[in-house]
Amino acid sequence: MPNPFLQDLDGRQNPILEGDLSLLGRNYVPDSFPHREGQIDHLVSLLKSVTRNINPSNILIYGRTGSGKTSCVIHVTSMLAEAMPGRVIIKHINCQVYDSIYSILVSLVNSLSDNESQNIPVSGWTIDRIYSELIGRLSAKQSFLLIVLDEIDKLIQKGGSDSVYVLLKIADDLKEKGSSIIGITNYIGFLDSLDSRVQSRLSQETVMFPPYNANELKDILEFRIKGILKPDAINEGTIALCAAIGAQEHGDARKALDLLKLAVEIAIRNGRSKVGEEEIIQAKETLEVNVLKETIRGLPLHSKFVLLSAILSEELTKRPSFTGEIYSNYCRIASEVGYSPLTPRRVGDIISDLDEYGLITTKIASMGRHGRTRYIEANEKREEMKNYILEEEIFSGFRGKNIGKQTRFEEDWLGGEKDRLQNVMETTMDPDSIQEREDKRE
Ligand SMILES: Nc1ncnc2c1ncn2[C@@H]1O[C@H](COP(=O)(O)OP(=O)(O)OP(=O)(O)O)[C@@H](O)[C@H]1O
Ligand SMILES: [Mg+2]
């Protein structure tokens, strides 16, 4: 029989594909970026000083998830490396993985090894010793060092100003060549927790990546499918639908690309000759389940406690919850499974992160003479989220027996104002500005 696996791989036999579908995947970095020309030009102009032997400013890049930050930085820094072989070292660090200054310094030193025998151990050395080794190796190499700290907020959440300070200091201690930092984040609120000196040095230049709108996403998809999908395999309306769904998710290009790639896979699997709206809808449903599960599984432990608290508090009171209620129930959950609760401030940061992931929605309500307050609602997939969390081993003996309502709060605050609360629940605000307001109030 003809090999059925080869059929799908052979472009001539496949009515949909004319190129490699994996190029729509997450690991591929294209060589141009529609609607990011301004940001790329800006980054290039800032980094050009390296070619003139001048230390460039440190740069902070801010934008929501899927707005092209990581890929554009990889694109620009690869061009710089290509233009100056051996004279510039680019180290891209994902701070979700390397979230301590110790692990970052070890990784920097080891990336300067000529062979494995020069690698230093991943534990055992003091920070001072690793740092001196780094400066020694960089001075010997006579190269410029560019450190990209992707998801820098994760590093700062754990290590505070000190962690960045050490990396900023490299530039002062290198006599010949320089060093600078590109920080990437989708949560700019972390800057507030930094010393003002570190804050201003880190954000000498800021480059913003605004969310894409549906038209921009459509251009991006059309650009990305060139050479991969046959021109007749998909029509404009189907691409527009995919772009519109991505735009709803705060202009997320990753989401739009994932959706399109999966829709193509579904169409191929079903032996279709075109990718249509039906496949896009099917892909959307599949992705929603997978993404939600993956997102919940990947959350840090205390974020799971906070999310579970938001869901259980809401289940109990049948209304959105207030920060204080979520905090009390979070403490009860953490204690029941054997963990010490974090401070209210840290939990406030976690609430902002959960909002960023779309797992909860944070809104501001005006409570009339009681002033303003922040209230929180879990997203509509509460039941699924709760089940994914409770499926995990750590919750195996969890009963939630201590979860409670803040009855005093209800009586004192809500009393006769329940209707008013219903009305003001409509007021929505950007979570960043909520954070700002709360910070000001503190
Ligand atoms: N303008 C664009 N043109 C082509 N592809 C793009 C564009 N913008 C983003 N992409 C693609 O969308 C996906 C998401 O981009 P990227 O990973 O750079 O986002 P990000 O801003 O770093 O998101 P996060 O904050 O979640 O890390 C990548 O596959 C990237 O190649
Ligand atoms: Mg990124």
Side-chain angles (χ1 to χ4, degrees):
M1 91 186 243
N3 186 332
F5 296 107
L6 281 174
Q7 260 173 13
D8 275 359
L9 295 170
D10 183 350
R12 283 163 307 173
Q13 291 192 39
N14 188 313
I16 294 179
L17 293 183
E18 64 177 4
D20 182 356
L21 186 60
S22 70
L23 299 186
L24 285 187
R26 294 181 173 199
N27 295 331
Y28 178 70
V29 179
D31 59 8
S32 85
F33 291 83
H35 302 291
R36 283 298 176 244
E37 294 83 0
Q39 285 77 1
I40 290 177
D41 286 351
H42 191 177
L43 288 170
V44 167
S45 70
L46 293 171
L47 293 177
K48 263 207 170 158
S49 33
V50 181
T51 60
R52 297 190 286 268
N53 236 345
I54 301 169
N55 219 20
S57 308
N58 298 308
I59 305 168
L60 191 64
I61 296 178
Y62 171 67
R64 295 195 77 160
T65 190
S67 57
K69 304 179 296 295
T70 300
S71 334
C72 288
V73 167
I74 293 177
H75 171 62
V76 170
T77 53
S78 318
M79 290 193 293
L80 178 63
E82 186 189 2
M84 301 182 70
R87 288 187 289 153
V88 55
I89 296 165
I90 291 152
K91 183 72 185 157
H92 197 115
I93 293 166
N94 181 348
C95 301
Q96 218 159 11
V97 181
Y98 293 90
D99 64 355
S100 72
I101 186 61
Y102 193 95
S103 60
I104 291 177
L105 288 175
V106 170
S107 155
L108 280 171
V109 169
N110 286 343
S111 66
L112 297 172
S113 300
D114 293 324
N115 55 57
E116 272 194 21
S117 66
Q118 290 181 352
N119 281 0
I120 62 167
V122 289
S123 62
W125 283 32
T126 63
I127 291 241
D128 285 350
R129 185 171 173 206
I130 306 171
Y131 184 82
S132 311
E133 179 71 22
L134 177 65
I135 298 297
R137 287 192 188 193
L138 282 169
S139 307
K141 290 239 182 246
Q142 290 279 306
S143 299
F144 176 84
L145 174 69
L146 184 60
I147 307 171
V148 180
L149 297 173
D150 206 340
E151 320 247 354
I152 185 173
D153 45 307
K154 302 286 182 311
L155 171 66
I156 286 160
Q157 221 173 34
K158 206 170 152 197
S161 295
D162 292 353
S163 49
V164 189
Y165 182 74
V166 174
L167 298 174
L168 289 169
K169 196 168 165 300
I170 299 174
D172 305 334
D173 291 339
L174 285 178
K175 302 211 168 43
E176 296 273 325
K177 300 286 170 182
S179 140
S180 65
I181 295 178
I182 299 181
I184 304 179
T185 184
N186 45 33
Y187 175 59
I188 202 113
F190 80 86
L191 275 178
D192 297 342
S193 64
L194 292 177
D195 288 353
S196 54
R197 233 163 22 107
V198 173
Q199 190 181 118
S200 58
R201 257 185 95 176
L202 186 63
S203 54
Q204 283 163 333
E205 295 285 346
T206 308
V207 182
M208 301 294 289
F209 279 59
Y212 295 114
N213 63 35
N215 286 333
E216 290 170 337
L217 285 178
K218 184 163 168 272
D219 292 342
I220 291 170
L221 292 177
E222 279 169 353
F223 164 73
R224 293 290 301 263
I225 60 175
K226 269 191 206 129
I228 298 177
L229 298 198
K230 288 183 177 161
D232 293 339
I234 189 162
N235 65 32
E236 227 184 299
T238 309
I239 298 177
L241 174 64
C242 211
I245 296 171
Q248 273 169 10
E249 298 275 328
H250 49 254
D252 184 343
R254 186 185 296 113
K255 167 92 183 199
L257 283 162
D258 282 352
L259 199 60
L260 185 58
K261 181 167 178 279
L262 184 58
V264 173
E265 284 165 1
I266 292 172
I268 294 173
R269 220 181 294 144
N270 295 341
R272 307 287 297 263
S273 57
K274 266 177 173 285
V275 186
E277 296 190 358
E278 197 184 310
E279 282 79 23
I280 302 282
I281 302 292
Q282 216 177 316
K284 179 173 182 279
E285 283 162 7
T286 312
L287 275 183
E288 272 166 5
V289 175
N290 293 348
V291 166
L292 188 65
K293 198 166 184 171
E294 252 179 60
T295 311
I296 304 269
R297 292 249 158 104
L299 287 176
L301 203 52
H302 285 273
S303 306
K304 286 177 190 155
F305 299 160
V306 175
L307 180 58
L308 184 62
S309 163
I311 298 169
L312 295 180
S313 307
E314 204 174 314
E315 239 174 42
L316 202 67
T317 59
K318 310 269 185 289
R319 57 158 174 77
S321 314
F322 294 85
T323 325
E325 296 176 288
I326 294 192
Y327 186 70
S328 325
N329 282 331
Y330 152 79
C331 293
R332 292 171 182 138
I333 293 169
S335 310
E336 189 175 334
V337 294
Y339 282 78
S340 309
L342 301 174
T343 61
R345 172 133 205 145
R346 290 286 304 279
V347 170
D349 289 343
I350 291 178
I351 289 176
S352 303
D353 284 348
L354 294 174
D355 189 313
E356 184 75 31
Y357 282 126
L359 301 175
I360 57 172
T361 313
T362 313
K363 295 178 182 175
I364 287 274
S366 160
M367 302 293 290
R369 64 197 162 84
H370 299 295
R372 281 172 175 276
T373 187
R374 179 157 81 148
Y375 68 93
I376 289 134
E377 218 170 351
N379 96 16
E380 60 197 14
K381 303 258 164 65
R382 301 174 179 79
E383 205 50 37
E384 283 107 308
M385 295 198 292
K386 185 173 88 179
N387 292 337
Y388 295 144
I389 297 175
L390 293 177
E391 265 166 29
E392 299 202 14
E393 185 151 353
I394 183 169
F395 290 102
S396 57
F398 180 76
R399 294 280 164 271
K401 52 186 185 301
N402 297 322
I403 300 296
K405 286 198 217 185
Q406 262 188 6
T407 45
R408 198 177 147 260
F409 168 88
E410 290 219 44
E411 281 157 19
D412 287 1
W413 278 51
L414 297 184
E417 305 229 20
K418 272 199 175 138
D419 293 343
R420 164 191 277 283
L421 181 63
Q422 279 310 324
N423 293 334
V424 294
M425 288 290 180
E426 305 308 318
T427 332
T428 53
M429 276 191 129
D430 181 50
D432 294 337
S433 67
I434 292 170
Q435 189 66 47
E436 267 167 35
R437 276 161 191 274
E438 295 220 330
D439 289 347
K440 274 195 197 117
R441 248 185 298 156
E442 277 174 17

